[in-house]
Amino acid sequence: MREGTRVTRPVVTFWFEFASTYSYLSTMRVEAVAADRGVDVIWQPFLLGPIFGVQGWTTSPFNIYPAKGRNMWRDMERECARLGLPLVQPDPFPQNTLLAARVAVRAMTTGNGPAFCKAVFEAEFGQGRDVSSPEVLAGALEQAGLSASLLEEAVTPENKQAVRDIGAEAERLGIFGAPRFVTEDGELFWGNDRLEQALDWELTKHEKTF
Amino acid sequence: MREGTRVTRPVVTFWFEFASTYSYLSTMRVEAVAADRGVDVIWQPFLLGPIFGVQGWTTSPFNIYPAKGRNMWRDMERECARLGLPLVQPDPFPQNTLLAARVAVRAMTTGNGPAFCKAVFEAEFGQGRDVSSPEVLAGALEQAGLSASLLEEAVTPENKQAVRDIGAEAERLGIFGAPRFVTEDGELFWGNDRLEQALDWELTKHEKTF
């Protein structure tokens, strides 16, 4: 529960990582699914790399375990076909998403943060573009109607620290993968497959409280 | 595609491991979901231990990564509540399921194999009982209307080899977790969350072929 806030509508925090394939799926559908239920969504970009690092992983578990990786890409093909989304595997996978996350944290202080995040995911997994590139991110900012100056704001010491603080909060919450959905009463749901359940959980608890 | 078989109904092979929590969920609901769609199910018990061993794991990944384990148990609580299934965490977790798998392979040569497997899962995750115990397995055999002599048939050299051959087949198929659903055209689906999709895939392909 957010303290000092008068909650009038149910709200779920959506934790996502730009390098994460299943975060792509959730990003593209969370708005419609949440609007349908009347649940607000707080978009929370974060970096999984430091959390994987703690477990001794230096790359995605989908690369460490090839059979798991093959299953994930095939599952992504089927899921994208089902959802009507394009899928192009970016090279390298996973992408370096440090700058993208830093820009996204700045973009979220505007009203166009979600539009920027969707543009990044579309470039990465819809077109297979390299989202570590400042040019690609500038394109995503433009697409979202945001100023390219956010690229500079992204790398100030203050914003770098903000991104580290978000990472610390993710670790505190026990987040080890993305996407992750957290309800107001602290219930955690992992994975795109649990989006609907997370929203329904929040809706039920909210109705009991208010 | 099974050679030398005239396939007249759609069929999906259901690979499961007795130690696997999500295999419990699939076991308890696969019959109803498949019957509803008119898809036949081949029950294929197997051992994940040797496959985990190849990856250097000596226990469940849910134990190796505690945050992942906490998420899984909480998710299981929610899923069991949703499905109306009891849940008691067995101690130790994971259970040693070598004997259970060997007995199940024998039980599958009778018409009562699925009933035996459901009884084992119920004892393990519904009541938290130790399914490495021959007494518990004898109880499951009785519940399924099967003879306790299957406990002896389970440990013949021929049956031990049959269980090893099934493990080799699982590895050949790239199976790294359970439950796993394999359609007649070789499409692989991982996890209880994909049961419906696997059955629908098989149904669609089957309708195109026949």
Side-chain angles (χ1 to χ4, degrees), chain A residues 124-138:
Chain A
E124 183 183 19
F125 293 113
Q127 303 166 41
R129 298 192 69 190
D130 181 351
V131 296
S132 71
S133 148
E135 289 73 32
V136 171
L137 296 177

Side-chain angles (χ1 to χ4, degrees), chain B residues 43-193:
Chain B
W43 291 57
Q44 185 57 75
F46 78 112
L47 290 164
L48 260 180
I51 292 171
F52 282 175
V54 170
Q55 304 188 341
W57 296 343
T58 54
T59 180
S60 162
F62 294 124
N63 291 342
I64 297 170
Y65 306 109
K68 207 174 166 120
R70 278 191 298 276
N71 172 76
M72 180 276 285
W73 285 112
R74 183 64 185 138
D75 189 55
M76 279 294 293
E77 284 174 4
R78 291 189 304 244
E79 292 290 280
C80 285
R82 196 169 63 82
L83 298 167
L85 293 173
L87 179 67
V88 178
Q89 201 167 322
D91 180 21
F93 175 81
Q95 293 270 295
N96 181 332
T97 53
L98 177 59
L99 183 57
R102 285 173 171 168
V103 176
V105 166
R106 290 302 308 151
M108 283 302 159
T109 63
T110 75
N112 296 1
F116 168 74
C117 295
K118 285 191 286 181
V120 172
F121 275 113
E122 267 168 354
E124 181 182 20
F125 293 114
Q127 303 167 40
R129 300 191 69 190
D130 181 351
V131 296
S132 71
S133 147
E135 288 73 32
V136 172
L137 296 177
L141 285 168
E142 198 185 343
Q143 216 178 307
L146 290 168
S147 162
S149 67
L150 267 70
L151 280 165
E152 287 146 43
E153 293 173 29
V155 292
T156 60
E158 293 73 22
N159 194 58
K160 287 181 177 178
Q161 187 57 46
V163 173
R164 276 193 292 270
D165 291 346
I166 291 165
E169 172 70 2
E171 236 189 298
R172 199 190 60 76
L173 287 172
I175 293 178
F176 56 85
R180 195 87 187 200
F181 306 98
V182 187
T183 63
E184 284 292 282
D185 67 338
E187 192 71 18
L188 274 73
F189 295 81
W190 180 35
N192 179 55
D193 292 334

